[in-house]
Amino acid sequence: MPHLTRTGTQLPATGTTELPPDEVWGKLGFGIPGYAHPLVAPVEWAGLTRPGTPLHWVVLNVDHGPGDRPDPHCLEAAGKLRNAGVRVLGHLDLAHGSRSFGDLVSDAHRYLEWYRVDGFLLDRCPADRAALQEVRRTTATLEAVLDGGHLVLGHGSHPYPGYAEAADQLVTFSGPWTDYRWSQVAEWTADHPPERFVHFVHGVPRTHLEEAMRIARWQGAGTIFFTDRAGDRSGNGHCGAFEALPGYWDEIVSQIGPGVSE
């Protein structure tokens, strides 16, 4: 997986156009964890193709994965994003290591065949050293299936350092603002550039938005998604919080600045 060790290569904010590092990573960009179905959240999906939005990627989660058959509404949404130069990632649930290798690869093939995704978010990824070998087996296979592409490991916390060599990006925080504002970064992350790390934070009040962005920069995260929406109480953690636009979407877009597509 040679592209995982190119420390000088930067992730374009929209599409695959290579740009100088200061043009791409001088400011934070968004990773969208996965909005609700396009029929339920049409405004959210339509807004993602607005020129100048600093997007690194958008996750397509059809039905806890690719679903049983192609969904015409998701096909349309993914097509519009790709035509706008936005990287689309398929959602693969590792279920903390309990899903079989065969099921994950099967889901990956369906995403590629039906939606032509540019990579994958491996959600609920294990973070301990014991699971690293199996996760690396999965990411190596996905790399071959994609013939390149972009892989994000959705740990939600700082994993064993060896995971940094298994994917392009790691989600090292996913949770509520009440935890994020007091969080600490793992020392080993200082050995990697900001484009390797992702933070998802829900329940961020508008009055603390600037503080949240300062924390992301201090902790060395290059990709973020902040929302004022709260997590659900159904036992699914923060899932519902990320299915719609935050109330201050326009404000946070303007604070981060225009994307490279503008």
Side-chain angles (χ1 to χ4, degrees), residues 138-153:
T138 300
T139 56
T141 301
L142 294 177
E143 167 73 8
V145 169
L146 287 164
D147 191 22
H150 191 75
L151 299 179
V152 182
L153 298 182

Side-chain angles (χ1 to χ4, degrees), residues 49-125:
T49 58
R50 186 175 66 179
T53 303
L55 288 173
H56 292 165
W57 39 260
V58 176
V59 175
L60 179 67
N61 187 359
V62 181
D63 184 17
H64 304 290
D68 297 326
R69 61 184 63 83
D71 183 306
H73 304 288
C74 291
L75 280 168
E76 181 181 8
K80 288 180 178 178
L81 287 171
R82 297 188 78 252
N83 289 339
V86 178
R87 180 181 278 128
V88 178
L89 306 183
H91 179 275
L92 298 177
D93 185 2
L94 270 63
H96 306 296
S98 66
R99 290 202 63 203
S100 73
F101 175 79
D103 284 348
L104 290 169
V105 173
S106 177
D107 279 357
H109 278 290
R110 286 200 290 272
Y111 265 120
L112 283 166
E113 180 181 352
W114 296 342
Y115 304 106
R116 297 178 59 201
V117 296
D118 306 294
F120 298 100
L121 168 68
L122 281 66
D123 200 13
R124 296 202 294 171
C125 182

Side-chain angles (χ1 to χ4, degrees), residues 156-216:
S157 60
H158 288 95
Y160 175 72
Y163 283 93
E165 304 305 320
D168 298 280
Q169 290 186 293
L170 310 179
V171 181
T172 53
F173 186 93
S174 183
W177 165 245
T178 50
D179 291 342
Y180 189 61
R181 67 183 310 187
W182 307 114
S183 62
Q184 299 292 324
V185 66
E187 291 184 6
W188 63 264
T189 62
D191 296 330
H192 303 275
E195 61 263 29
R196 302 299 306 280
F197 302 107
V198 183
H199 291 175
F200 296 149
V201 190
H202 61 79
V204 182
R206 183 186 298 269
T207 53
H208 290 279
L209 190 54
E210 291 188 9
E211 180 185 355
M213 286 192 285
R214 285 198 300 270
I215 292 172

Side-chain angles (χ1 to χ4, degrees), residues 215-238:
I215 292 172
R217 290 189 174 98
W218 288 337
Q219 295 195 4
T223 302
I224 63 167
F225 188 79
F226 295 159
T227 180
D228 49 354
R229 299 179 182 276
D232 60 44
R233 299 177 180 273
S234 64
N236 294 322
H238 56 255

